[in-house]
């Protein structure tokens, strides 16, 4: 019998594959995150209109790994490729990264 977590990962994989057929596996997930963007001119964190479940996924094509936030606030999901050039810093409380637009994003 499958565990509840295994069933949940299987269901989430099916949902993610509807958005990207090349997703082959959910490597990890968390139920709720909130995204902020660092504003360099004000030296402050601005709340982005993105919150929801975060998934780290493997794909059958390039990029081989990505993370996806299924946004509960709008239809605009966040999809970021995790490549050799991906710049990030992980702490106990949050993940900071710089995306390909040179924005500094924080995930809490």
């Amino acid at each position: 019998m499958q565990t509840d977590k295994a069933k949940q990962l299987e269901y989430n994989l099916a949902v993610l594959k509807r958005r990207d057929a090349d997703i082959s596996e959910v490597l990890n997930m968390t139920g709720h995150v909130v995204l902020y963007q660092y504003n360099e001119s004000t030296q402050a964190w601005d709340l982005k209109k993105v919150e929801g479940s975060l998934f780290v996924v493997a794909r059958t094509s390039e990029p081989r790994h990505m993370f996806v936030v299924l946004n509960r606030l709008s239809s605009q999901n966040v999809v970021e490729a995790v490549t050799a050039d991906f710049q990030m810093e992980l702490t106990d409380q949050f993940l900071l990264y710089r995306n390909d637009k040179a924005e500094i994003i924080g995930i809490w």
Side-chain angles (χ1 to χ4, degrees), residues 25-84:
E25 182 180 2
V26 175
L27 301 173
N28 210 334
M29 67 166 286
T30 187
H32 187 79
V33 297
V34 178
L35 274 66
Y36 292 81
Q37 182 174 342
Y38 188 69
N39 185 325
E40 294 188 47
S41 62
T42 64
Q43 302 287 298
W45 289 97
D46 296 333
L47 182 63
K48 290 180 69 75
K49 293 182 180 174
V50 177
E51 62 180 77
S53 298
L54 179 141
F55 301 91
V56 179
V57 299
R59 300 178 75 246
T60 57
S61 62
E62 292 296 330
R64 293 293 185 180
H65 296 93
M66 294 187 330
F67 69 82
V68 179
V69 178
L70 295 180
N71 192 0
R72 293 184 181 135
L73 302 179
S74 79
S75 61
Q76 297 295 318
N77 297 320
V78 172
V79 178
E80 298 284 359
V82 180
T83 63

Side-chain angles (χ1 to χ4, degrees), residues 84-95:
D85 298 331
F86 187 74
Q87 298 177 24
M88 62 159 264
E89 180 180 336
L90 180 63
T91 73
D92 289 339
Q93 298 176 332
F94 51 84
L95 169 72

